Amino acid sequence: MTTSARRNELGEFLKARRAELGPRAVGLPDSGAPRRVKGLRREEVAQLAAISTDYYTRLEQGRMQASASVLGILAHVLRLGDDQRAYLYELAGKDHARPRSRARQQVQPQLQRLLDDLASTPAIVLGRRVDILAWNALSAALITDFAAIPENRRNYVKIIFTDPAMKQLYADWETVARTCVAQLRMEAAKYPTDPRLTELVGELSVQDQQFRQWWGEHCVAARNVGTKSFHHPVAGDLTLDWDTLTASTDPDQQLVIWTAEAGSPGHDGLRVLASWAADQSGSAVNS
């Protein structure tokens, strides 16, 4: 099959798949009014995939070749099975139709020991895809009980967008969420064929309109330093500085810590939070 024929077949395949899905199946509003086309419209698929309608239209018309990352997101949006996904990549001439997942990261022992010693400083270890690899008790008290989240869903970006409590916890949730999306963009540039990252982006694009919009803006950011303000249910209002330390033994693992200047309201609030967390831990042991 020629390249042109493959692109035309890919376009027809995309048309057929979107014709099988209605708005409700992908989380879009449905007025119930008659639709001019069967299934999803082109602009609806483009919206869910966080790409322009013109870009998607060119794909369906066989006038453009899609990147592996866009194919992965479209496969998620269109609910393709394994065989359909493999066929999509084959038509696109991509070698990574079934990319191998990287081995699950394990926190570096040195970072784990450091976490264990940070009794008065909230800290977490982030890995690829902004996965949460490890945390200490105070970070769980500050943000959320990470241990209660299934390991395959323990991702900082996912928590920010799917846990309603985060919008109450962060004083400026939108800035925090936008930064998370920009940092995830950096991860996507480093690992464009990572199937778990593609799945994460596809899932959040379908589920959350704001994520979809901000992902489509293509903003990028690295994790370095900054300040975050919290409305904490126990410690009250906290303004904390955060910093990032990269493990020399694995640059894909970063220790993120939250601190406050001694004597500041944030520092006092962390002391209150640490005392409360210790009481909670003691109650759990004695119960």
Side-chain angles (χ1 to χ4, degrees):
M1 187 182 297
T2 65
T3 299
S4 176
R6 283 179 179 273
R7 288 186 181 181
N8 289 334
E9 176 60 23
L10 186 146
E12 293 301 319
F13 182 69
L14 290 174
K15 288 180 192 177
R17 298 292 73 78
R18 69 178 170 90
E20 297 173 345
L21 296 171
R24 290 181 182 175
V26 294
L28 292 177
D30 185 2
S31 65
R35 298 168 68 86
R36 291 187 295 106
V37 296
K38 182 181 178 182
L40 295 175
R41 303 185 183 98
R42 283 175 174 168
E43 55 267 30
E44 289 172 332
V45 175
Q47 177 188 354
L48 290 169
I51 58 178
S52 71
T53 301
D54 179 67
Y55 183 101
Y56 180 75
T57 299
R58 287 171 179 266
L59 288 180
E60 281 203 355
Q61 293 176 343
R63 295 189 291 134
M64 178 172 286
Q65 181 171 335
S67 66
S69 59
V70 168
L71 289 173
I73 294 173
L74 286 173
H76 187 90
V77 167
L78 296 173
R79 305 296 199 270
L80 301 188
D82 289 343
D83 291 342
Q84 292 174 321
R85 181 185 292 261
Y87 183 63
L88 179 71
Y89 276 81
E90 183 177 342
L91 289 176
K94 301 299 180 183
D95 294 332
H96 299 286
R98 294 176 184 264
R100 296 178 59 185
S101 297
R102 292 172 173 265
R104 186 174 294 277
Q105 278 181 295
Q106 299 292 329
V107 62
Q108 292 291 302
Q110 301 92 323
L111 291 183
Q112 185 62 67
R113 289 195 296 267
L114 183 56
L115 273 177
D116 295 340
D117 285 341
L118 292 174
S120 61
T121 302
I124 61 176
V125 176
L126 297 178
R128 292 189 299 270
R129 301 174 294 270
V130 203
D131 287 342
I132 299 167
L133 304 182
W135 60 92
N136 63 4
L138 196 50
S139 68
L142 175 65
I143 301 174
T144 191
D145 183 4
F146 298 113
I149 302 171
E151 185 177 2
N152 64 350
R153 299 188 64 80
R154 206 176 287 154
N155 176 277
Y156 194 75
V157 182
K158 182 174 289 189
I159 291 171
I160 289 294
F161 279 93
T162 62
D163 185 348
M166 295 299 104
K167 290 190 176 182
Q168 303 300 318
L169 176 65
Y170 287 101
D172 187 0
W173 177 88
E174 181 172 326
T175 296
V176 171
R178 279 179 172 272
T179 301
C180 282
V181 174
Q183 291 172 350
L184 194 64
R185 265 284 179 194
M186 290 285 281
E187 291 290 305
K190 289 165 61 178
Y191 303 108
T193 61
D194 184 327
R196 289 187 58 210
L197 194 151
T198 299
E199 181 181 356
L200 173 65
V201 172
E203 177 185 343
L204 292 177
S205 294
V206 169
Q207 292 180 354
D208 193 281
Q209 186 272 333
Q210 287 175 301
F211 178 91
R212 188 162 61 242
Q213 174 187 337
W214 297 334
W215 182 260
E217 291 174 0
H218 294 264
C219 295
V220 295
R223 284 195 296 274
N224 39 52
V225 297
T227 300
K228 283 190 173 72
S229 295
F230 300 84
H231 293 314
H232 197 276
V234 173
D237 290 345
L238 301 171
T239 297
L240 305 176
D241 298 320
W242 62 273
D243 204 343
T244 307
L245 307 175
T246 301
S248 59
T249 50
D250 182 356
D252 280 337
Q253 295 193 29
Q254 295 181 313
L255 177 73
V256 181
I257 59 174
W258 289 266
T259 61
E261 185 177 352
S264 67
H267 183 262
D268 294 341
L270 283 181
R271 293 176 64 182
V272 169
L273 188 60
S275 177
W276 175 82
D279 289 344
Q280 295 295 109
S281 177
S283 298
V285 170
N286 296 327
S287 61

